Amino acid sequence: MIKNLIIASSIAVGGTLLSSCGGNKDMVKQDFEVAEKQYTIMLDQSKDLTSFPRTTNPDGSVKGTDIWDWTQGFFPGALWYIYEFNQDPKWKAEAEKWTDALEQAKFLTQHHDVGFVMYCSYGNAVRLEKDTAKINKYNKILIQSAESALTRYYPNVGLIKSWNDKMSWDGKTLWTYPVIIDNMMNLELLFYVSKLTGDPKYKDAAISHADKTMKNHFRSDYSTYHVVDYDAKTGEVLHQQTNQGYSDNSTWSRGQGWAIYGYTLMYRETKDPKYLEHAKKVADFFINHPNLPKDKIPYWDFNVEQEGYTPDWDYKGQNKLNYIPRDASAASLAASAMLELSTYTGEEGKKYFNAAEEILKSLSGTEYLAAPGTNSGFILKHSTGSFPHNSEIDVPLIYADYYFLEALLRYKKIKG
Ligand code: GLY
């Protein structure tokens, strides 16, 4: 707990950058200026169109990913957001080039992430493109991507299966139909393709997935289990556990963020008030949590080192740090989701807008926002990919950047 306080107080000054950076300079403009400088560096060092920037290697070089992972859509998506902000054709050309390089991922069926990959890239491309021929090409790719997503939807279970067979941390459970909370992010693609084709099968699957997830992935306080494993024949819940969180009963911060985002988008797409109520409760858990640091950038899990939470993996043996790392990616995606949520919730929306604004101010501070020319070209510092896997701890992550830019654009739009 003392460790928590030390890191919290050392980072809590993040929100002061606006004054340290010239007083009344507009936050969104300032952050996009940094983004342009950083991604100019990123583009200079990323010439191989089969390697999509994801994070840094220990030597500071950029670590890329191929088209079959889950993060490859975020770099093209971030380029589209920069173009959306500055309307500079140079950025559009880069966005198109990196988006086109992803095309074969429309056949990604070995895990659930095809929605993330293709909607963050091609979804933004189709939204911002004016050329009909290109729009038609992008739409065909999105339709195939949705077909790929549906190969993992088994009607008797009514959910999209996230991963193939996988062992849990305690080594006792073989998950055979694991569904993770992150999977909510794949649903946006399905709604889009139903609208595009007039075929309801995509959105029907999304609604079934969201309903079952709402029932089985949440505790009574609206915190999330990371993984729910189902019986592939009956659809019965077999296990509620974690994969990237601290313990089975803890709340992995990014998972909670995915849930806020997922149920907000469900409300946007269906206008069913039950999703709105759910999104609010899930967001309330995040913003009211006693362990959320003052600057509102969460630790990688809300319950790290807390009494009553016991990992099934060797936390003590593995932990080499004398502080609990934050996860700026959880913060940026939660901010983006809460900004959208604030637009659906009238007076109450101020609560979500204010929380998101505080997060954005923290992320715009020197503690999190890279000084131009540093951070290997990434925009944000201090994200955590998977602590239990000893992977990507307190590093830049491409999806933190992506949702940060998205949140800034949403913030600008709301502020007018
Ligand atoms: N969707 C994987 C993650 O959030 O780490």
Side-chain angles (χ1 to χ4, degrees):
M1 199 58 204
I2 288 171
K3 277 188 227 162
N4 294 14
L5 291 175
I6 293 169
I7 187 75
S9 58
S10 72
I11 288 184
V13 292
T16 59
L17 176 78
L18 288 184
S19 50
S20 72
C21 192
N24 48 18
K25 206 167 178 194
D26 172 70
M27 176 173 76
V28 176
K29 190 163 172 275
Q30 166 204 275
D31 292 347
F32 270 95
E33 277 170 16
V34 173
E36 285 178 28
K37 286 184 185 146
Q38 289 299 87
Y39 276 25
T40 299
I41 296 169
M42 185 76 84
L43 287 165
D44 280 349
Q45 55 195 355
S46 306
K47 299 289 181 207
D48 174 2
L49 286 169
T50 65
S51 181
F52 294 77
R54 171 178 173 136
T55 184
T56 52
N57 288 307
D59 67 2
S61 57
V62 173
K63 184 173 181 182
T65 205
D66 66 19
I67 62 165
W68 306 113
D69 208 309
W70 78 277
T71 58
Q72 54 276 22
F74 295 118
F75 184 56
L79 295 171
W80 281 112
Y81 284 145
I82 294 176
Y83 166 66
E84 184 172 3
F85 181 79
N86 66 17
Q87 294 294 305
D88 180 341
K90 178 183 94 186
W91 288 92
K92 181 169 187 257
E94 291 294 348
E96 278 185 60
K97 189 171 85 185
W98 281 91
T99 301
D100 288 342
L102 264 185
E103 177 171 350
Q104 289 312 303
K106 66 190 176 189
F107 297 119
L108 199 169
T109 56
Q110 61 264 46
H111 54 72
H112 67 159
D113 288 315
V114 63
F116 259 121
V117 173
M118 302 309 270
Y119 205 69
C120 294
S121 51
Y122 284 91
N124 278 311
V126 89
R127 188 173 61 81
L128 295 170
E129 183 56 69
K130 302 258 181 326
D131 180 310
T132 314
K134 285 184 189 168
I135 291 172
N136 290 342
K137 181 182 91 174
Y138 294 152
N139 278 336
K140 277 193 193 133
I141 292 169
L142 286 166
I143 293 169
Q144 174 54 52
S145 305
E147 285 296 326
S148 295
L150 287 194
T151 63
R152 301 188 67 85
Y153 179 84
Y154 295 75
N156 52 322
V157 181
L159 289 130
I160 298 165
K161 181 173 163 177
S162 292
W163 301 321
N164 301 333
D165 291 4
K166 187 174 171 73
M167 220 44 199
S168 65
W169 278 110
D170 59 13
K172 292 181 193 149
T173 319
L174 177 68
W175 298 326
T176 56
Y177 202 112
V179 176
I180 60 175
I181 189 64
D182 325 27
N183 204 332
M184 289 296 301
M185 302 298 286
N186 294 306
L187 307 184
E188 221 169 353
L189 166 72
L190 300 181
F191 282 104
Y192 177 74
V193 172
S194 264
K195 277 182 262 181
L196 187 64
T197 59
D199 187 337
K201 71 176 177 180
Y202 310 98
K203 80 166 186 219
D204 289 348
I207 290 169
S208 170
H209 184 97
D211 288 348
K212 287 182 195 283
T213 299
M214 194 152 111
K215 188 159 164 243
N216 300 322
H217 252 94
F218 293 85
R219 308 183 184 100
S220 56
D221 62 359
Y222 295 91
S223 66
T224 40
Y225 291 105
H226 183 202
V227 184
V228 177
D229 182 40
Y230 293 87
D231 184 313
K233 287 203 183 81
T234 64
E236 185 198 342
V237 173
L238 297 179
H239 312 100
Q240 291 165 309
Q241 293 180 269
T242 198
N243 185 60
Q244 276 159 263
Y246 185 65
S247 63
D248 289 343
N249 62 342
S250 76
T251 303
W252 175 50
S253 305
R254 196 161 58 251
Q256 196 71 15
W258 294 140
I260 305 170
Y261 202 115
Y263 285 93
T264 303
L265 84 81
M266 283 305 297
Y267 178 70
R268 181 213 308 148
E269 297 297 341
T270 64
K271 292 288 173 273
D272 185 333
K274 77 179 176 201
Y275 297 128
L276 185 61
E277 281 314 299
H278 198 70
K280 287 192 310 192
K281 298 278 183 9
V282 178
D284 289 345
F285 177 93
F286 192 106
I287 61 185
N288 296 331
H289 198 283
N291 217 15
L292 183 66
K294 248 188 164 157
D295 64 359
K296 297 213 164 10
I297 312 301
Y299 301 107
W300 65 272
D301 186 296
F302 281 97
N303 306 111
V304 184
E305 295 183 19
Q306 302 285 300
E307 220 177 293
Y309 298 88
T310 314
D312 281 329
W313 50 285
D314 185 17
Y315 175 71
K316 287 211 173 90
Q318 189 179 303
N319 185 19
K320 305 278 182 291
L321 304 171
N322 62 358
Y323 64 94
I324 300 174
R326 306 296 188 89
D327 184 10
S329 74
S332 64
L333 85 94
S336 184
M338 286 193 285
L339 285 168
E340 182 175 2
L341 183 58
S342 77
T343 65
Y344 303 138
T345 43
E347 264 303 291
E348 213 186 340
K350 277 192 190 137
K351 173 171 71 172
Y352 304 113
F353 178 84
N354 291 341
E357 185 175 52
E358 283 183 59
I359 290 175
L360 289 183
K361 284 184 178 172
S362 293
L363 294 177
S364 302
T366 49
E367 187 59 40
Y368 293 98
L369 189 70
T374 68
N375 209 31
S376 310
F378 288 91
I379 302 165
L380 291 179
K381 304 179 271 182
H382 301 307
S383 289
T384 298
S386 181
F387 199 103
H389 294 90
N390 210 2
S391 170
E392 302 174 336
I393 298 172
D394 201 355
V395 292
L397 287 171
I398 190 67
Y399 41 99
D401 289 5
Y402 173 87
Y403 289 105
F404 180 54
L405 298 180
E406 181 181 88
L408 289 167
L409 290 169
R410 288 179 174 186
Y411 179 79
K412 181 169 176 266
K413 208 165 170 188
I414 294 171
K415 293 280 274 188

